[in-house]
Amino acid sequence: MWGNCILKSGLLFVTLSLAVAKHKQSSFAKSCYPRGTLSQVDMLYVKAAWLKATIPEDHIKNIRLLKKKSKKLFMKNCRFQEQLLSFFMEDVFGQLQLQVCKEIHFVEEFHSLRQKWSRCISCASSAREMKSITRLKRTFYGIGSRGIYKAIRELDILLSWIKQFLESIK
């Protein structure tokens, strides 16, 4: 009788332990990529559209900040990913003073995505800038105050890269 009771309690303990371990593992996966982060990227798409609707139209058609070559770098180089996300947080959103940005909490959500990204994708940190980021910043600052609008207009490009990258690591 005691043996049967001990066996059942041991079995119950093992089952509970496995359930707790599986829950911890799945909650980590949800907080990282791709499932939890993909839905966050989708939400940022919607908020970026609202944000883009509040800024002047982009009349600079011959200049792009986010180029095809940059996409290739983004898809395979974690340092480039980190520097590009930092560029948007510091250089673009750091200068943005739009009320709508505060109302829709776009910057906070982008920052949250960036933090999640840095936790989930390990990369040797480096203070050294890559040539592509340096060129992007030179272009951004070279077109003056319109650089902020240009970068915001290209947010959908960046978000599509993020989504493609996350889907590729499923």
Side-chain angles (χ1 to χ4, degrees):
M1 176 94 170
W2 278 104
N4 194 17
C5 185
I6 291 173
L7 181 63
K8 284 183 180 179
S9 357
L11 187 58
L12 180 63
F13 177 73
V14 168
T15 305
L16 285 172
S17 299
L18 288 173
V20 167
K22 185 168 178 93
H23 173 72
K24 283 183 179 177
Q25 190 177 36
S26 70
S27 67
F28 175 76
K30 285 180 185 174
S31 72
C32 274
Y33 54 87
R35 278 181 246 143
T37 310
L38 278 174
S39 61
Q40 188 175 11
V41 173
D42 289 337
M43 200 56 184
L44 281 169
Y45 265 117
V46 173
K47 291 186 176 198
W50 284 347
L51 185 59
K52 286 167 59 172
T54 65
I55 63 169
E57 198 166 317
D58 180 17
H59 294 291
I60 308 170
K61 303 296 182 195
N62 60 338
I63 296 176
R64 279 191 60 180
L65 296 174
L66 302 176
K67 301 176 182 178
K68 289 180 184 178
K69 186 192 268 189
S70 301
K71 179 182 180 181
K72 289 178 185 175
L73 272 172
F74 185 85
M75 294 306 227
K76 64 181 179 181
N77 188 317
C78 64
R79 249 186 45 235
F80 182 77
Q81 293 167 355
E82 208 290 317
Q83 289 181 357
L84 186 58
L85 294 176
S86 292
F87 163 75
F88 271 87
M89 275 306 299
E90 295 161 14
D91 297 274
V92 177
F93 303 138
Q95 297 182 35
L96 196 58
Q97 300 293 324
L98 294 176
Q99 181 62 30
V100 74
C101 209
K102 294 172 186 161
E103 290 171 8
I104 62 173
H105 305 285
F106 184 85
V107 176
E108 292 88 351
E109 288 201 29
F110 193 89
H111 180 67
S112 167
L113 174 70
R114 181 177 169 222
Q115 285 180 320
K116 193 180 291 186
W117 190 281
S118 65
R119 278 195 315 268
C120 297
I121 299 172
S122 60
C123 184
S125 145
S126 171
R128 188 181 69 137
E129 276 192 1
M130 300 174 75
K131 288 179 188 175
S132 296
I133 293 291
T134 305
R135 269 186 253 130
L136 176 123
K137 285 184 177 185
R138 191 178 313 125
T139 303
F140 173 78
Y141 287 109
I143 55 179
S145 63
R146 295 178 300 169
I148 294 172
Y149 303 136
K150 179 65 127 173
I152 291 171
R153 291 275 173 201
E154 293 186 14
L155 270 173
D156 54 340
I157 296 170
L158 175 63
L159 292 171
S160 72
W161 293 357
I162 291 171
K163 191 167 186 168
Q164 285 176 11
F165 179 79
L166 292 172
E167 288 172 340
S168 76
I169 57 173
K170 280 185 181 177

